[in-house]
C-alpha cells in the first residue's frame, strides 16, 4: 500500500522519500523546501503526502515500518508517538547532530532514547483561541478571559447573527474521536485543575475532569454554541475552515491556523485576533503541548542523504523559511529572537509563556492506546450516549487493564 501510494519501488533508491501530513498549504511549503534542498545538494526528495489527522498518519507509518520497508526514509512524528517509534527500534540515531539550539526540556523528554538522539523538533504546538475582532467590536465585547465570558458572548453574538446565517456558531473546537479530542479535553480539564497524568499516575475519573467533560458536552448539547458536528467531524482543518468562512465567533486551534486566516482571499483576513485560551476565573490558561519531530527510518537505504535532509530541515535557515511561511513555533530557540520572525508573527512574543508552559501528554510508548480508550469514551459522552462521569470511570478502568497487560503498575512513571 505504501509503495503504490509513494508511486515508487526500488527505483526510489536514488532519492529520499519524506512522509509528511498537514493542511494543503503546509504540504506546498514542504514541496518548496524540498526543492530548495535539491537545488543546494543535488539530492532528490519525494514528498509522500499524508492526511492531516495524526492518528491516520501514525497508522500508515506503522504499516510501512512494521513491514521493514525502506520507504519512507524520513518522516515527521507527532510528539506523542516518538516514544513508540523509538521503543520499536524504527529510528536511526541522529549521530553527529547538535541538539544544543533546540529546547532542552523537549529534547530530554521526547527526542532522546537510551541516551541517543533519535529525533529533532521541527515545530512546537500549543492550543490558542482565535476570535473575530470585528464582531467583538460591533457588540462592544472584549476577548474572553474566562470560559463563562466565552459562553456568554457566544450566546449573545450567535443569537443575532443566526437571523441571517443559521449556520453561525459561537465556538468551534476539536471534538471528533481522534487525538485532537484529547488535546482539547486536557485544556478544558487542566483549566479546572484536572489532568490525565500526575505524579506518575494516569487518572481520568476526577471531579475536575468530570466538570470539564460536562462543560464540553453542554457547549454542544445544552447551550448549542458549538455545532453538533463537533463530535462527529471537527478536527483541526474542519474547525479552521468553519471559522475561516466566517461562521464562528471563536475557534480553538494550533498556531498554524493564524497565517491561513490572514492569507489573501480569507474572509476573516484582518478581522482575526489570537490569545491564550480562557480559564475558569481568568487565571493562567492551560494549553496542551503538541508539535512534530523529524526522524530517519532505520530501514532506509539512503541514510546519508536522509540525514542531510534532516540537517537542512532543522537548520536555522530551513526552519526560518517554514516559520515565516506557515506561522509555526520553531523547535529552535534562537529563532524566537529573530527580528524578522517577531515582526511577522507578533503573537509569538506575546504567547511565549503559553507555549513554554504547555502541558505534555504522557510520553510512553503505549500512549496511543491509552488515548484511543479515552477518545472513545469522551466522544461518546459528547454524543450524549453516556453520562460524563460514567465515561471517565470506564476509560480509567480500561486504561488500568491495558497497563496491566503491558506489565506496568497502574502507577506509571512518564517515560518509563
Ligand atoms: C497537532 C499537534 C499534535 C497533536 C495533534 C492532535 O498536530 O501538534 O501534537 O497530537 O494536533 O490532533
Amino acid at each position: 500500500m505504501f509503495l503504490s501510494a509513494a508511486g515508487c519501488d526500488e527505483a526510489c533508491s536514488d532519492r529520499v522519500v519524506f512522509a509528511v501530513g498537514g493542511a494543503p498549504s503546509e504540504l506546498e511549503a514542504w514541496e518548496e523546501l524540498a526543492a530548495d534542498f535539491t537545488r543546494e545538494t543535488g539530492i532528490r526528495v519525494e514528498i509522500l503526502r499524508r492526511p492531516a489527522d495524526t492518528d491516520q498518519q501514525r497508522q500508515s507509518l506503522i504499516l510501512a515500518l512494521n513491514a521493514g520497508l525502506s520507504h519512507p526514509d524520513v518522516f515527521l512524528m507527532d510528539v506523542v508517538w516518538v516514544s513508540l517509534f523509538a521503543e520499536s527500534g524504527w529510528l536511526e540515531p541522529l549521530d553527529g547532530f547538535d541538539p544544543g539550539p533546540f529546547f532542552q526540556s523537549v529534547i530530554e523528554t521526547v527526542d532522546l532514547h537510551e541516551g541517543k538522539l533519535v529525533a529533532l523538533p521541527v515545530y512546537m504546538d500549543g492550543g490558542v483561541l482565535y476570535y473575530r475582532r470585528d464582531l467583538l467590536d460591533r457588540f462592544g465585547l472584549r476577548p474572553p478571559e474566562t470560559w463563562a465570558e466565552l459562553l456568554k458572548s457566544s450566546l449573545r453574538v450567535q443569537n443575532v447573527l443566526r437571523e441571517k446565517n443559521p449556520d453561525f456558531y459561537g465556538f468551534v473546537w476539536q471534538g471528533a474521536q481522534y487525538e485532537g479530542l484529547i488535546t482539547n479535553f486536557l485544556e478544558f480539564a487542566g483549566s479546572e485543575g484536572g489532568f490525565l497524568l500526575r505524579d506518575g499516575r494516569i487518572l481520568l475519573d476526577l471531579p475536575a475532569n468530570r466538570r470539564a467533560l460536562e462543560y464540553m458536552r453542554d457547549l454542544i448539547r445544552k447551550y448549542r454554541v458549538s455545532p453538533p458536528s463537533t463530535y462527529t467531524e471537527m478536527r483541526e482543518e474542519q474547525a479552521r475552515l468553519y471559522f475561516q468562512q466566517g461562521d464562528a465567533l471563536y475557534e480553538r486551534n494550533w498556531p498554524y491556523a493564524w497565517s491561513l486566516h490572514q492569507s489573501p482571499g480569507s474572509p476573516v483576513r484582518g478581522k482575526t485576533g489570537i490569545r491564550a485560551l480562557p480559564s475558569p476565573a481568568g487565571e493562567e490558561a492551560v494549553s496542551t503541548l503538541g508539535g512534530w519531530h523529524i526522524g530517519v527510518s532505520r530501514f532506509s537505504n539512503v541514510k546519508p542523504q536522509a540525514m542531510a535532509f534532516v540537517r537542512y530541515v532543522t537548520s536555522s535557515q530551513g526552519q526560518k523559511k517554514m516559520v515565516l511561511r506557515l506561522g509555526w513555533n520553531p523547535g529552535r530557540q534562537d529563532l524566537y529572537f529573530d527580528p524578522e520572525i517577531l515582526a511577522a508573527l507578533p503573537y509569538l512574543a506575546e504567547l511565549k509563556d503559553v507555549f513554554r508552559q504547555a502541558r505534555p501528554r504522557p510520553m510512553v510508548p503505549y500512549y496511543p492506546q491509552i488515548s484511543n480508550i479515552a477518545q472513545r469514551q469522551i466522544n461518546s459522552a459528547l454524543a450524549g450516549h453516556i453520562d460524563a462521569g460514567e465515561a471517565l470511570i470506564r476509560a480509567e478502568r480500561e486504561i488500568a487493564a491495558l497497563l496491566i497487560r503491558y506489565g506496568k503498575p497502574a502507577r506509571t512513571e512518564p517515560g518509563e
Side-chain angles (χ1 to χ4, degrees):
M1 174 191 155
F2 230 89
L3 291 182
S4 56
C8 73
D9 45 29
E10 284 316 302
C12 275
S13 56
D14 65 337
R15 69 192 92 147
V16 173
V17 178
F18 173 44
V20 62
S25 58
E26 293 178 87
L27 295 171
E28 274 163 37
W30 279 114
E31 297 277 4
E32 280 173 27
L33 191 78
D36 291 347
F37 169 75
T38 303
R39 256 192 308 278
E40 286 183 26
T41 60
I43 301 171
R44 293 209 292 156
V45 176
E46 174 156 330
I47 306 267
L48 187 54
R49 292 179 169 228
R50 311 309 306 163
D53 182 327
T54 171
D55 296 334
Q56 290 174 19
Q57 288 193 54
R58 187 184 72 249
Q59 281 150 11
S60 69
L61 280 171
I62 286 180
L63 278 180
L65 292 163
N66 244 336
L69 300 184
S70 58
H71 302 111
D73 304 281
V74 182
F75 35 79
L76 282 200
M77 292 167 281
D78 191 334
V79 60
V80 281
W81 20 283
V82 176
S83 166
L84 167 69
F85 279 35
E87 187 74 24
S88 305
W90 292 332
L91 302 178
E92 183 70 17
L94 301 179
D95 291 336
F97 279 76
D98 173 17
F102 298 84
F103 284 95
Q104 279 323 291
S105 56
V106 175
I107 294 284
E108 275 160 29
T109 44
V110 183
D111 301 302
L112 285 178
H113 180 70
E114 293 172 353
K116 283 194 180 280
L117 188 71
V118 290
L120 279 171
V122 173
Y123 65 94
M124 314 220 296
D125 266 338
V128 289
L129 185 78
Y130 295 94
Y131 56 88
R132 283 284 299 279
R133 196 195 306 274
D134 58 326
L135 292 178
L136 292 184
D137 285 351
R138 185 171 136 198
F139 285 80
L141 295 163
R142 53 175 199 167
E145 282 178 14
T146 65
W147 289 112
E149 279 173 25
L150 176 135
L151 177 58
K152 207 167 150 205
S153 50
S154 289
L155 286 167
R156 184 156 159 222
V157 172
Q158 83 180 19
N159 281 346
V160 175
L161 295 200
R162 276 217 190 130
E163 284 167 16
K164 287 207 178 125
N165 177 2
D167 292 330
F168 192 90
Y169 277 90
F171 181 35
V172 290
W173 44 280
Q174 294 80 42
Q177 188 183 323
Y178 81 118
E179 181 59 28
L181 169 58
I182 302 300
T183 61
N184 282 238
F185 167 73
L186 291 176
E187 288 164 352
F188 285 109
S191 76
E192 286 283 339
F195 51 85
L196 173 61
L197 176 84
R198 178 155 304 165
D199 300 332
R201 292 185 70 192
I202 290 185
L203 289 171
L204 267 169
D205 179 26
L206 301 166
N209 288 355
R210 185 182 296 214
R211 278 198 303 279
L213 183 51
E214 283 167 355
Y215 182 74
M216 293 163 81
R217 179 201 59 203
D218 289 349
L219 288 174
I220 308 168
R221 309 185 72 82
K222 181 171 169 191
Y223 305 115
R224 298 175 193 274
V225 295
S226 300
S229 60
T230 303
Y231 60 87
T232 53
E233 55 192 55
M234 282 286 174
R235 293 175 165 73
E236 283 81 9
E237 275 293 88
Q238 283 82 0
R240 201 259 305 164
L241 288 164
Y242 207 99
F243 180 90
Q244 192 158 319
Q245 69 208 17
D247 289 341
L249 177 62
Y250 302 118
E251 172 201 10
R252 182 271 173 211
N253 217 324
W254 308 101
Y256 87 99
W258 172 259
S259 56
L260 293 167
H261 292 330
Q262 300 300 346
S263 61
S266 157
V268 297
R269 182 180 184 163
K271 300 178 182 167
T272 302
I274 179 171
R275 55 154 284 135
L277 288 166
S279 56
E283 59 278 280
E284 225 154 69
V286 173
S287 172
T288 301
L289 177 71
W292 290 77
H293 295 235
I294 195 163
V296 172
S297 164
R298 187 162 69 82
F299 309 111
S300 165
N301 287 333
V302 288
K303 284 185 192 135
Q305 294 87 333
M307 294 286 173
F309 183 61
V310 170
R311 205 173 281 284
Y312 189 77
V313 168
T314 55
S315 67
S316 218
Q317 177 203 5
Q319 284 217 330
K320 185 167 171 179
K321 265 188 208 158
M322 297 300 266
V323 168
L324 287 175
R325 168 105 194 237
L326 300 170
W328 282 344
N329 291 343
R332 291 180 74 99
Q333 300 194 63
D334 46 348
L335 295 182
Y336 288 76
F337 302 100
D338 184 292
E340 214 182 322
I341 290 186
L342 289 176
L345 305 174
Y347 62 84
L348 209 58
E350 211 175 298
L351 296 182
K352 202 169 61 221
D353 289 342
V354 171
F355 302 127
R356 229 169 246 164
Q357 289 157 17
R359 292 211 188 149
R361 286 157 281 171
M363 299 291 169
V364 288
Y366 41 88
Y367 173 76
Q369 281 152 290
I370 293 178
S371 171
N372 273 337
I373 295 171
Q375 287 168 28
R376 193 162 19 83
Q377 297 295 351
I378 291 174
N379 184 263
S380 145
L382 296 184
H385 296 152
I386 177 178
D387 170 72
E390 182 59 24
L392 296 174
I393 291 172
R394 285 194 196 175
E396 192 174 304
R397 208 182 291 143
E398 279 186 54
I399 290 171
L402 173 90
L403 296 183
I404 290 169
R405 276 207 300 287
Y406 270 91
K408 300 277 171 194
R411 288 165 172 266
T412 301
E413 294 303 326
E416 232 183 32

